[in-house]
């Protein structure tokens, strides 16, 4: 049976090389590529089932036009020509009346390679429309905090973990989001290297670790400052490394660290003094410790400080200077591809911006001109954005002309005037580079587009040409564009020959010692850029006043974490995976359940000032008292009622204007009482 070597496009740091077995035009099996080292011959439990999503009977087959009220999901099929004619006629009319700023292109990155995710952005860039500040729903807080500390550069190569002597998964559930790193780590652990997990939840990763520290949500900066305090107290700082490679250590040591004695750190974090001491001793003794940083701990008001404090630690012991040592958040920063070729083909240097997470506000409040046309692709904000009640109200505006491009009729697509059927990655060719490792690969299509689906790339080209754009990328083939990504590239990809990428997986490696690309060229414990923004310039833990006030009004805090068998809403069409993940649920500690007289498996109401949702209750000591864990974000129809982001507001993080899902406070009660 023919096997096509494709690349997994899901938003996942592993970027597996996959073999898709094709029979009679259908993918019948997907497995990991045994010839690509990092993939190591296996795909995760989700992607093993991707043929179900690809060939799902629920796929959108043709373009459709709305026939009922917005949100009702009533549509009738139309032809592609009719759809494209109507879209371009509406856009041209808006441009003639209000200028291009009356249009918002809201295309995200999920589940595609760089051609398909970036050309829709390029279309709107070239048209000069209002632009999306993308990714604030995801990683802009942690990424900005990292850049403010180390500069725009990737972290430790995960494949160098074979040289590490201690691994800390700090707020990262490897078993959910980084399974191939986990596999490599298991081999290293077999040689005696210890794994420590710092996570409010006893995740599957934490349950398998040598040591789990169940830290209180939002207190990681205090723990990191506490470790630094003890390292300083005990003479465990690598003074030479710090002097040569960091900026501001002495001020941090005299102005901030004295406030983080172990007793205070224990009170803030909910850990014991002994645990804080033991962790610092372990960390101080290791030479090549590797911290795998998760994003979860930054999705709250002071998330940037948390990331900066933790990312500073490997400088204190000199681990950043040694192979296998350091920290890994993302790798992408070191692979300097010229993606602007597709993302910014032409168009004004700057334009009005909309923060990804604040779409509802933008639709309701922007004036001069208001947003009259919205194009959404590869994104399901009616479920995944914070404050989705407001967003859905805004999407219901009758005079807003909304187009949604997706393989499925999502909760967002229900609000569209025109829905367009999208391909999945298995139906389109693309260029992929991992964001969690130093690898790149070309992926061909395994099968042709299903039904009448068109890829994001194809659609952006169709729309670009109809809108009169003449940039070459609107008529070039992906294979012609790919080599341009390498033109003028610097650093570790400068020597890669694009022809090699067409042939198979390519691995590059960052220098063994961590680079810093900050203004000072050093790891900036003191950041002048932050000082100028009025943000504390040195890593510190401070209580957030709004969170503190909310905590006095509501007894529980929301913990959100990725699902093991779902990634956001993208696998919702696989009945097998839906079943494996189980019904959308809320997990509380037995004490919290007992206090409210709630039983395992019953329907409960989660509520606060912003709204309520209905979920199935699970009772488990995997979380601490005071917390309610809601894994994933699930479509409306799957839950008892609603979706968790109805409870979250659109506050911004301290750095990078990111989402604060975990700054959400609430209570839980029996569902019946609500009625
Ligand atoms: N299976 C699966 N894989 C995925 C995804 C998915 O939804 N499902 N999503 C994909 C996407 S879009 C992304 S951005 C990535 C990254 O996905 P992320 O959501 O960043 O996942 P993690 O890095 O595991 O971080 C979440 C972990 O942080 C913990 N955590 C939460 N708050 C805190 C805190 O205050 N302190 C500490 N120390 N820990 C905390 C949570 O309990 C959880 O275990 O994963 C990708 N991969
Ligand atoms: N409470 C809470 N909310 C969160 C998070 C959290 O941790 N807690 N995590 C946040 C994070 S990290 C992220 S990244 C966001 C994710 O938010 P989204 O990007 O909205 O998440 P997905 O459900 O992955 O949505 C992707 C959509 O793309 C469609 N799709 C798949 N492939 C293609 C394609 O090739 N073309 C097109 N046009 N469409 C395609 C899918 O069917 C799906 O509808 O959610 C955020 N929301
Ligand atoms: S582990 Fe990640 S990259 Fe690999 S198959 Fe699963 S989702 Fe895709
Ligand atoms: Mo994300």
């Amino acid at each position: 049976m023919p096997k096509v070597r494709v690349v997994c496009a899901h938003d996942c740091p592993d970027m597996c090389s996959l073999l898709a077995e094709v029979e009679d035009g259908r993918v019948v099996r997907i497995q990991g590529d045994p010839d690509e080292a990092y993939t190591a011959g296996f795909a995760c439990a989700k992607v093993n089932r991707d043929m179900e999503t690809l060939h799902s009977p629920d796929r959108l087959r043709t373009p459709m036009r709305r026939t009922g009220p917005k949100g009702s999901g009533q549509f009738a099929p139309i032809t592609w020509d009719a759809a494209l004619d109507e879209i371009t006629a509406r856009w041209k009319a808006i441009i003639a009346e209000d200028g291009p700023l009356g249009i918002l292109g809201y295309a995200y990155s999920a589940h595609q390679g760089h051609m398909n995710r970036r050309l829709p952005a390029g279309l709107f860039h070239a048209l000069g429309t209002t632009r999306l500040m993308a990714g604030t729903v995801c990683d802009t807080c942690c990424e900005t905090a990292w850049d403010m500390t180390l500069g725009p550069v990737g972290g430790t190569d995960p494949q160098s973990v074979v040289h590490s002597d201690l691994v800390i998964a700090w707020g990262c559930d490897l078993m959910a989001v980084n399974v191939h790193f986990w596999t490599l780590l298991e081999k290293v652990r077999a040689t005696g290297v210890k794994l420590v997990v710092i996570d409010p939840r006893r995740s599957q990763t934490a349950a398998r670790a040598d040591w789990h520290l169940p830290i209180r949500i939002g207190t990681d900066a205090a723990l990191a400052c506490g470790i630094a305090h003890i390292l300083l107290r005990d003479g465990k700082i690598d003074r030479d490394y710090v002097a040569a490679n960091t900026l501001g250590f002495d001020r941090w040591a005299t102005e901030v660290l004295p406030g983080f004695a172990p007793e205070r750190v224990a009170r803030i974090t909910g850990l014991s003094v002994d645990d804080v001491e033991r962790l610092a001793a372990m960390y101080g003794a290791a030479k090549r410790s590797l911290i795998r940083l998760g994003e979860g701990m930054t999705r709250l008001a002071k998330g940037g400080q948390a990331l900066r404090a933790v990312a500073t630690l490997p400088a204190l012991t000199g681990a950043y200077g040694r192979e296998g040592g350091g920290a890994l958040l993302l790798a992408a920063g070191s692979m300097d591809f010229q993606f602007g070729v597709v993302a910014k083909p032409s168009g004004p240097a700057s334009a009005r911006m909309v923060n990804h997470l604040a779409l509802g506000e933008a639709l309701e409040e922007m004036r001069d001109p208001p947003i009259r046309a919205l194009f959404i692709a590869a994104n399901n904000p009616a479920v995944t954005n914070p404050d989705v009640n407001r967003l859905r109200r805004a999407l219901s505006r009758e005079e807003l002309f909304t187009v949604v491009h997706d393989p499925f009729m999502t909760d967002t697509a229900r609000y569209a005037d025109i829905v367009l059927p999208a391909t999945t990655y298995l139906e389109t060719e693309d260029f992929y580079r991992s964001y969690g490792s130093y690898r790149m690969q070309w992926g061909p299509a395994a099968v042709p587009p299903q039904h009448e689906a068109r890829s994001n790339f194809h659609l952006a080209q169709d729309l670009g040409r109809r809108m009169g754009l003449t940039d070459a990328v609107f008529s070039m083939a992906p294979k012609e564009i790919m080599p341009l990504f390498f033109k003028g590239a610097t650093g570790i990809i400068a020597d890669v020959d694009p022809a090699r990428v067409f042939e198979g997986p390519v691995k590059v490696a960052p220098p063994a010692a961590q680079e810093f690309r900050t203004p000072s060229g050093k790891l900036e414990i003191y950041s002048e850029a932050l000082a100028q923004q009025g943000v504390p310039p040195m890593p510190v833990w401070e209580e957030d006043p709004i969170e503190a006030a909310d905590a006095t009004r509501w007894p529980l805090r929301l913990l959100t974490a990725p699902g093991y068998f779902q990634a956001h809403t993208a696998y919702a069409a696989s009945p097998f995976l839906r079943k494996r993940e189980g019904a959308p649920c809320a997990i509380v500690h037995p004490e919290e359940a007992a206090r409210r007289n709630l039983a395992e498996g019953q329907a409960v109401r989660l509520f606060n000032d912003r709204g309520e949702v209905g979920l199935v209750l699970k009772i488990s000591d995997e979380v601490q008292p005071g917390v309610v864990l809601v894994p994933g974000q699930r479509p409306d129809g799957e839950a008892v009622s609603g979706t968790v982001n109805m409870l979250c507001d659109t506050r911004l993080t301290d750095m990078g204007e990111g989402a604060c899902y975990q700054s959400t406070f609430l209570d839980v009660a029996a569902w019946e009482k609500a009625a």
Side-chain angles (χ1 to χ4, degrees):
M1 221 178 283
K3 285 186 185 171
V4 187
R5 178 146 81 175
V6 297
V7 185
C8 178
H10 292 294
D11 191 341
C12 171
D14 290 4
M15 198 198 82
C16 291
S17 181
L18 303 173
L19 299 180
E21 267 181 49
V22 182
E23 193 180 78
D24 297 332
R26 291 173 73 86
V27 175
V28 293
R29 189 158 171 234
I30 294 176
Q31 44 178 151
D33 179 352
D35 298 326
E36 198 281 314
Y38 198 62
T39 308
F42 77 96
C44 67
K46 307 182 295 295
V47 168
N48 278 330
R49 318 293 300 201
D50 259 0
M51 55 280 176
E52 285 181 16
T53 304
L54 168 65
H55 299 299
S56 164
D58 300 334
R59 287 282 300 265
L60 293 172
R61 284 157 192 265
T62 66
M64 296 198 286
R65 185 191 284 121
R66 178 166 69 90
T67 55
K70 290 201 176 191
S72 69
Q74 291 165 277
F75 292 89
I78 52 172
T79 64
W80 266 105
D81 269 335
L84 294 175
D85 283 346
E86 183 166 341
I87 294 166
T88 46
R90 292 290 292 262
W91 287 1
K92 283 177 182 168
I94 291 169
I95 292 172
E97 287 159 29
D98 287 351
L101 293 180
I103 302 172
L104 172 63
Y106 195 86
Y108 192 41
S109 67
H111 320 290
Q112 314 158 82
H114 289 275
M115 303 280 174
N116 280 291
R117 71 170 62 169
R118 292 182 196 267
L119 196 61
L123 167 71
F124 294 101
H125 199 279
L127 290 173
T129 67
T130 295
R131 283 182 195 151
L132 180 66
M133 181 186 175
T136 56
V137 294
C138 173
D139 61 3
T140 54
C141 174
C142 59
E143 203 180 342
T144 304
W146 173 276
D147 291 357
M148 290 290 179
T149 314
L150 290 90
V153 57
T156 304
D157 184 345
Q159 291 175 269
S160 76
V161 68
V162 293
H163 302 291
S164 306
D165 59 2
L166 170 69
V167 178
I168 303 181
W170 199 314
C172 188
D173 186 357
L174 301 170
M175 297 287 290
V177 305
N178 207 180
V179 289
H180 292 83
F181 178 68
W182 172 262
T183 310
L184 203 53
L185 180 57
E186 281 291 82
K187 290 189 189 141
V188 179
R189 291 178 71 197
T191 69
V193 171
K194 298 279 182 259
L195 170 66
V196 178
V197 171
I198 300 170
D199 196 309
R201 173 193 194 188
R202 192 174 66 244
S203 62
Q204 290 191 12
T205 307
R208 288 164 176 79
D210 296 290
W211 189 25
H212 170 216
L213 290 114
I215 192 171
R216 196 171 276 149
I217 300 173
T219 63
D220 301 273
L223 181 58
C225 289
I227 294 173
H229 176 106
I230 295 168
L231 295 177
L232 183 65
R233 182 197 69 194
D234 296 351
K236 290 284 169 52
I237 303 282
D238 182 336
R239 289 284 178 180
D240 291 342
Y241 186 87
V242 166
N245 297 287
T246 68
L247 187 75
F249 177 76
D250 291 340
R251 272 192 74 176
W252 197 42
T254 51
E255 293 175 28
V256 177
L257 297 186
F260 291 90
E263 296 70 24
R264 176 161 181 256
V265 171
R267 273 198 310 277
I268 297 168
T269 58
L271 303 171
S272 70
V273 172
D274 281 353
D275 283 348
V276 176
E277 288 281 359
R278 185 177 153 214
L279 179 64
M282 250 173 126
Y283 195 73
K287 291 279 172 230
R288 286 166 280 108
S289 56
L290 173 60
I291 301 177
R292 178 65 172 90
L293 279 156
E295 304 178 7
M297 66 160 129
T298 66
R299 294 186 181 124
L300 39 82
K302 299 256 156 96
Q305 290 294 345
L307 194 290
R308 264 173 60 70
V310 179
T312 295
L313 295 177
L316 305 184
T317 61
Y320 272 133
R322 302 184 194 104
E323 190 164 22
L328 174 65
L329 174 70
L330 300 163
S334 287
M335 290 181 279
D336 162 38
F337 290 104
Q338 306 297 299
F339 290 134
V341 171
V342 279
K344 299 176 180 178
S346 61
S350 65
R352 184 169 72 171
M353 301 294 290
V354 166
N355 183 320
H356 196 155
L357 69 86
L359 177 61
E361 254 161 77
L363 294 177
E364 286 192 340
E365 287 173 8
M366 274 192 164
R367 299 281 175 270
D368 303 321
I371 308 276
R372 291 168 59 195
L374 172 67
F375 173 92
I376 300 178
N379 203 185
N380 191 4
V383 179
T384 54
N385 269 27
D387 203 1
V388 294
N389 283 330
R390 180 177 194 182
L391 173 57
R392 290 175 185 202
R393 200 173 68 216
L395 288 172
S396 306
R397 250 177 51 197
E398 200 49 44
E399 74 284 6
L400 177 71
F401 176 65
T402 302
V403 177
V404 175
H405 182 228
D406 202 286
F408 294 96
M409 180 56 72
T410 61
D411 287 328
T412 303
R414 283 177 214 290
Y415 290 88
D417 296 280
I418 291 189
V419 176
L420 302 172
T423 53
T424 67
Y425 71 101
L426 291 163
E427 302 150 71
T428 173
E429 59 182 351
D430 211 322
F431 169 75
Y432 299 88
R433 76 96 176 84
S434 168
Y435 65 79
S437 64
Y438 289 88
R439 293 150 52 238
M440 66 195 80
Q441 192 168 333
W442 180 261
V447 289
Q450 303 294 291
H451 317 295
E452 291 184 26
R454 289 191 190 174
S455 70
N456 297 52
F457 182 87
H458 186 167
L459 174 60
Q461 287 195 328
D462 285 341
L463 287 168
R465 286 195 302 259
R466 281 175 187 251
M467 292 300 289
L469 296 174
T470 53
D471 309 277
V473 288
F474 294 109
S475 44
M476 289 167 79
K479 275 195 166 150
E480 294 174 301
I481 296 175
M482 195 272 265
L484 303 179
F485 290 165
F486 290 83
K487 242 183 154 175
T490 56
I492 56 172
I493 62 159
D495 296 334
V496 177
D497 175 1
R500 249 176 74 204
V501 180
F502 285 125
E503 281 159 20
V506 173
K507 160 95 174 79
V508 290
Q514 178 65 50
E515 290 180 87
F516 304 114
R517 286 196 207 145
T518 53
S520 65
K522 296 182 174 185
L523 181 138
E524 297 197 344
I525 299 173
Y526 185 93
S527 165
E528 187 53 44
L530 288 177
Q532 279 173 17
Q533 291 169 27
V535 176
M538 293 180 280
V540 66
W541 181 85
E542 286 171 348
E543 185 162 57
D544 177 69
I546 300 177
E547 285 178 2
D550 283 350
T552 63
R553 300 179 48 226
W554 299 97
L556 300 171
R557 181 171 192 166
L558 179 66
L559 176 63
T560 129
Y564 291 104
F565 296 96
Q566 294 286 318
H568 315 292
T569 64
Y571 300 89
S574 160
F576 176 85
L577 292 175
R578 271 200 320 264
K579 194 159 167 239
R580 284 302 299 271
E581 184 73 25
C585 70
I587 305 171
V588 297
H589 188 274
E591 280 174 22
E592 299 290 1
R595 198 169 293 152
R596 294 167 179 79
N597 221 351
L598 299 171
E600 172 83 14
Q602 84 176 84
V604 288
R605 182 168 81 105
L606 276 60
F607 60 99
N608 63 15
D609 293 332
R610 267 170 301 282
E612 64 170 24
V613 303
L615 300 171
V616 171
L617 186 72
K618 284 192 182 167
I619 302 172
S620 163
D621 65 1
E622 75 191 83
V623 294
Q624 304 281 307
V627 168
V628 51
L629 167 64
V630 179
Q633 305 89 51
R634 310 282 295 277
D636 256 31
E638 294 182 18
V640 174
S641 170
T643 186
V644 64
N645 282 354
M646 291 174 167
L647 305 178
C648 301
D649 74 7
T650 54
R651 291 191 66 183
L652 303 181
T653 49
D654 54 348
M655 297 173 207
E657 298 180 44
C660 290
Y661 312 104
Q662 300 200 132
S663 298
T664 304
F665 292 80
L666 69 164
D667 204 350
V668 179
W671 179 250
E672 291 78 20
K673 276 192 195 147

